[in-house]
Amino acid sequence: MAIKTVGIIGAGTMGNGIAQACAVSGLKVVMVDISEAAVAKGVATVASSLERLIKKDKISPSDRDAALARIQGSTNYDDLKSAQLVIEAATENYELKLRILKQIDAIVAPDVIIASNTSSISITKLAAATGRADKFIGMHFFNPVPMMALVEIIRGLQTSDATHEAVQDMAKALGKTPITVKNAPGFVVNRILVPMINEAFFVLAEGLATPEDIDAGMKLGCNQPIGPLALADMVGLDVCLAVMEVYLSEFGDSKYRACPLLKEMVAAGRLGRKTGRGVYQY
């Protein structure tokens, strides 16, 4: 099945980023969120992102206009009926995702593929809650979506070869590089990345070095473009904590326990860039 229209649930950071990548690549997009304000904010974010690309001579004003014309913002799930693929990009919360996926499943045609942009929740478990487990898959995009080349494609136990192939082809059509991953908590990238961020918090809590020196050490010593603590602020400390808690409960291994300092900062509402303060002040 050729994917020409993509439905996206969630107009936040990941949702609008996926919408931009799809629209720039020539796909029609229906971006759904719970309020008109959320949808408008998502579309405005895409518009300003495209504006920056014009200033960098990456796209022309006519490219921007064409991409924006391909994005339909909506608060109505019925508008997803035109899509061949629907990507759920809601907050990393199992109950919320379950509720959304059941709504999508009830509305779209039986041959439509449903994907989740989850970064840690079991694709097999989410698939089982739908009536189309063979047409369910994980598509884990990375932030910022328009810039990041990687998409982790996660196969649940029930995902069919045809579904995997269609989604892999679609990711390539977006100019992304897909890697295929078996279903397991955190998949590949976050399984390695988030415990590293957590360890950086342990190092910080033990007073081994300042945040600036910890980040400089990892940037200059391991050739990383951004240090783990600055990255935690970008991702959101609450998201990092939620992922570690998923690992601890799923693997039952104490090596995945969250650093008490990370928990303390989340409790204080210091979640990173989105709140103006995390490890660093913004």
Side-chain angles (χ1 to χ4, degrees):
M1 176 182 59
I3 295 169
K4 293 180 178 171
T5 302
V6 178
I8 298 167
I9 307 294
T13 304
M14 296 307 292
N16 68 57
I18 297 166
Q20 179 179 325
C22 291
V24 166
S25 301
L27 297 172
K28 287 186 179 174
V29 175
V30 180
M31 184 168 64
V32 178
D33 212 316
I34 51 171
S35 70
E36 294 286 358
V39 172
K41 189 180 176 187
V43 173
T45 302
V46 174
S48 66
S49 176
L50 293 173
E51 204 61 50
R52 286 194 297 276
L53 292 177
I54 291 172
K55 285 177 184 165
K56 291 176 183 173
D57 290 327
K58 298 274 176 74
I59 62 169
S60 67
S62 61
D63 292 334
R64 171 201 58 201
D65 296 344
L68 286 171
R70 292 186 195 105
I71 300 173
Q72 174 194 349
S74 175
T75 56
N76 189 350
Y77 274 65
D78 282 341
D79 289 335
L80 297 170
K81 287 178 179 173
S82 61
Q84 293 81 45
L85 166 69
V86 179
I87 303 170
E88 168 275 309
T91 310
E92 198 70 352
N93 175 298
Y94 175 68
E95 298 302 333
L96 174 67
K97 286 186 185 292
L98 212 56
R99 199 160 66 241
I100 289 169
L101 292 171
K102 285 181 174 174
Q103 275 182 273
I104 300 167
D105 195 32
I107 284 168
V108 300
D111 61 340
V112 171
I113 296 169
I114 302 177
S116 176
N117 179 54
T118 180
S119 55
S120 64
I121 298 168
S122 167
I123 295 301
T124 297
K125 193 174 174 183
L126 290 173
T130 72
R132 64 185 82 209
D134 62 317
K135 293 183 181 66
F136 192 91
I137 199 162
M139 276 191 97
H140 180 211
F141 289 84
F142 289 78
N143 186 24
V145 178
M147 311 300 293
M148 299 291 274
L150 182 69
V151 180
E152 277 183 313
I153 296 179
I154 305 103
R155 296 189 69 151
L157 193 63
Q158 319 92 315
T159 307
S160 72
D161 290 342
T163 297
H164 172 253
E165 198 175 313
V167 168
Q168 187 167 253
D169 289 348
M170 181 264 192
K172 287 176 182 172
L174 298 185
K176 304 297 184 190
T177 301
I179 62 169
T180 299
V181 179
K182 287 181 184 174
N183 185 60
F187 318 128
V188 167
V189 176
N190 282 343
R191 168 82 175 270
I192 297 166
L193 176 70
V194 182
M196 182 194 75
I197 289 173
N198 191 52
E199 196 62 31
F201 274 93
F202 274 115
V203 168
L204 180 62
E206 288 166 25
L208 296 186
T210 64
E212 291 81 4
D213 283 354
I214 291 166
D215 279 350
M218 293 305 288
K219 281 164 70 178
L220 302 175
C222 299
N223 205 25
Q224 294 181 353
I226 184 171
L229 297 172
L231 181 58
D233 276 354
M234 198 160 89
V235 170
L237 271 58
D238 53 336
V239 175
C240 295
L241 177 59
V243 172
M244 287 305 294
E245 286 173 342
V246 167
Y247 294 171
L248 186 62
S249 85
E250 293 289 324
F251 290 116
D253 188 330
S254 64
K255 76 177 180 181
Y256 295 112
R257 74 197 186 286
C259 176
L261 176 62
L262 176 59
K263 289 182 175 181
E264 187 80 353
M265 290 179 77
V266 171
R270 294 182 184 177
L271 308 183
R273 290 190 184 202
K274 61 187 169 188
T275 59
R277 184 156 188 197
V279 176
Y280 300 100
Q281 186 92 38
Y282 297 91

